[in-house]
Amino acid sequence: TYTPVKEWNKDTTETLLSYSITDKKTKTFCRISILKSTESKGSIENDFDSEWQELIVRAYKPTEKPVFNEVQKTDSGNSKAGVVGFKFNNKAALAMLTTMTGFGRCASIVATTNSEVYMKEITQFVGSVKLLKPDSIAQPPAVSTVVHSNILGTWRRGMGITTTGGSYGRYKYTAYQYT
């Protein structure tokens, strides 16, 4: 669950929900996206590192050294956050990632902005996100004892696309998981 950012533009795809705002007068922008949860990789460190590489490094090509927070305990699991600078239209901007794990799931929030004006909204949105315990945690499918291949396990592939639209970037992410 989360508390939406009021009076911002809402954009929903199959894998993410975003809120964005652009101030044409000051040429500032902010986008906050919450991605559809995925199966956890077993620890907050593994989840965060994977999400950081996929959602931040590959998408934004950081130009500065990142700053990471220590793991935080929450009511529903653990969270970890990081922030890094990048260039957008040859101007300084920030990309922030908060990853949460709990109940066997991993959820991430990506925020991008070129102004500190929006930090209150980012902080409030991230602080409002709560992982809810599912009614039942799905059991992995039974694996046949007959092995037909040397490739056995759970595999994931993802694709991120950043496009330029208006005065801020748009980010879309698609992930597939195979067992």
Side-chain angles (χ1 to χ4, degrees):
T1 65
Y2 65 93
T3 303
V5 184
K6 294 179 180 170
E7 300 176 17
W8 285 27
N9 298 319
K10 181 179 176 181
D11 184 30
T12 305
T13 70
E14 188 177 318
T15 58
L16 67 87
L17 177 115
S18 295
Y19 292 93
S20 63
I21 190 166
T22 301
D23 186 328
K24 292 179 183 182
K25 196 182 294 183
T26 61
K27 297 185 180 181
T28 59
F29 71 88
C30 184
R31 175 178 288 279
I32 305 170
S33 301
I34 186 165
L35 285 84
K36 185 175 181 179
S37 71
T38 59
E39 187 175 325
S40 173
K41 291 172 180 47
S43 72
I44 184 63
E45 291 84 3
N46 290 343
D47 290 337
F48 181 83
D49 292 346
S50 174
E51 299 288 275
W52 182 263
Q53 290 301 314
E54 190 67 31
L55 301 174
I56 302 298
V57 174
R58 288 183 80 201
Y60 297 102
K61 315 265 187 285
T63 57
E64 300 174 7
K65 184 176 179 179
V67 176
F68 300 115
N69 290 353
E70 295 295 320
V71 173
Q72 302 292 314
K73 300 273 185 210
T74 67
D75 293 341
S76 56
N78 296 307
S79 70
K80 186 170 180 177
V83 62
V84 71
F86 72 100
K87 294 286 185 190
F88 181 75
N89 290 339
N90 292 322
K91 297 197 175 162
L94 293 175
M96 295 161 263
L97 172 70
T98 302
T99 299
M100 301 174 177
T101 60
F103 311 114
R105 303 297 296 171
C106 166
S108 289
I109 303 148
V110 175
T112 55
T113 186
N114 66 347
S115 174
E116 291 185 18
V117 170
Y118 304 108
M119 294 309 286
K120 177 182 174 188
E121 287 85 353
I122 294 169
T123 302
Q124 287 176 341
F125 183 85
V126 171
S128 77
V129 175
K130 303 285 183 251
L131 298 178
L132 299 178
K133 184 175 183 178
D135 292 334
S136 65
I137 298 175
Q139 297 298 317
V143 177
S144 170
T145 56
V146 179
V147 178
H148 298 285
S149 172
N150 290 335
I151 302 174
L152 184 66
T154 301
W155 299 86
R156 180 177 177 205
R157 78 176 167 103
M159 176 179 68
I161 300 171
T162 302
T163 60
T164 304
S167 57
Y168 59 87
R170 299 193 79 171
Y171 183 78
K172 299 200 182 225
Y173 180 76
T174 304
Y176 303 92
Q177 187 166 312
Y178 305 93
T179 301

